[in-house]
Amino acid sequence: MTILANILIVFFISCGLLFIVVSAIGLYRLPDLYTRTHAASKSATLGVMCILLGVFFHFWLKEDHFNPGILLGILFLFITGPVGGHIMSRSSYLAGVKPWSGTVRDDLKEEVERMKKEQGL
Amino acid sequence: MKETIMLVALTLFMIAIAILLYRVIMGPSMPDRAIALDTIGVNLISAIAIVSILLNTKAFLEAILILGILAFIGTIAFSKYIERGVIVERKGDN
């Protein structure tokens, strides 16, 4: 039983470790702000959720201490991580940060121009 | 075995925070820096969780939730500042 608990904890923690390191490498290598937001909001959120799940299992199975605060933290990060990335990339688009030069399609541009025209009239 | 994995995890968090600090310093625009700081906050949350396993204590587990809330509020406030120029709008300002 304790071997199974150890395997579960180590699996979750190393999985989250992989995702967090990959998201850091993505923030270093990707070419513009929007792709970097994509890397940061998804991958880092999943990584930290995996690590917190591993810590929760450690305190529950090994120390016999059920801690709902960690579960609440997992839920909160699951809700707020993608929302933070979305709001940050949207506001930086409205503030005029240019996408990468290899971008082939920009659907938001026409919509923003239409909104500006409607508000200007 | 498990101690080794925890120490390797802390080392990898340190390397990831160093890479993100490169992005904070060299990032071409302000939202880049904000996103990198948000990801540093996420790394700190996981580092706190790992350290609380290593030290075998439950005292740090409340800090996880508080740090998550603070990182979210900081990101929202900064994005609103980038979009509008103010954070808290007054009534009848426009």
Side-chain angles (χ1 to χ4, degrees):
Chain A
M1 196 58 201
T2 176
I3 294 176
L4 271 181
N6 271 334
I7 287 175
L8 198 65
I9 292 159
V10 166
F11 170 73
F12 273 119
I13 285 180
S14 46
C15 202
L17 201 60
L18 180 74
F19 276 108
I20 280 186
V21 170
V22 163
S23 90
I25 294 172
L27 254 81
Y28 176 67
R29 291 205 46 169
L30 287 174
D32 71 339
L33 177 91
Y34 305 102
T35 49
R36 272 181 226 136
T37 316
H38 171 82
S41 65
K42 288 176 186 60
S43 177
T45 306
L46 184 59
V48 74
M49 278 166 60
C50 279
I51 285 182
L52 288 185
L53 206 58
V55 173
F56 173 73
F57 278 134
H58 174 268
F59 279 103
W60 189 24
L61 299 176
K62 312 275 288 195
E63 315 269 325
D64 209 10
H65 170 250
F66 185 86
N67 195 334
I70 302 182
L71 287 182
L72 207 60
I74 291 173
L75 187 66
F76 189 79
L77 279 167
F78 181 65
I79 295 172
T80 61
V83 170
H86 164 75
I87 289 181
M88 181 57 80
S89 70
R90 179 177 174 275
S91 69
S92 60
Y93 189 92
L94 291 181
V97 177
K98 291 273 177 288
W100 180 39
S101 61
T103 309
V104 291
R105 183 166 171 178
D106 192 355
D107 280 339
L108 189 55
K109 195 174 177 183
E110 306 159 6
E111 197 68 22
V112 168
E113 278 174 0
R114 191 178 61 81
M115 256 177 56
K116 276 185 183 168
K117 202 182 286 178
E118 277 181 4
Q119 282 181 359
L121 285 178
Chain B
M1 168 70 183
K2 223 162 86 181
E3 294 254 323
T4 318
I5 284 192
M6 301 303 158
L7 290 179
V8 167
L10 283 181
T11 314
L12 284 177
F13 288 149
M14 201 174 66
I15 292 171
I17 288 179
I19 294 172
L20 293 169
L21 270 182
Y22 169 82
R23 184 52 69 194
V24 170
I25 294 168
M26 300 290 287
S29 62
M30 287 308 272
D32 274 318
R33 299 191 172 104
I35 287 168
L37 283 174
D38 190 37
T39 315
I40 285 180
V42 164
N43 277 356
L44 280 181
I45 291 173
S46 356
I48 287 173
I50 298 292
V51 161
S52 74
I53 285 187
L54 262 182
L55 297 182
N56 211 356
T57 172
K58 309 174 256 219
F60 298 148
L61 294 180
E62 317 297 327
I64 293 171
L65 200 51
I66 292 172
L67 209 53
I69 292 171
L70 282 182
F72 179 62
I73 291 175
T75 307
I76 296 299
F78 203 83
S79 72
K80 201 165 177 197
Y81 175 70
I82 287 171
E83 189 176 339
R84 306 250 172 91
V86 292
I87 295 175
V88 181
E89 293 173 29
R90 280 177 293 180
K91 254 179 198 166
D93 209 4
N94 44 11

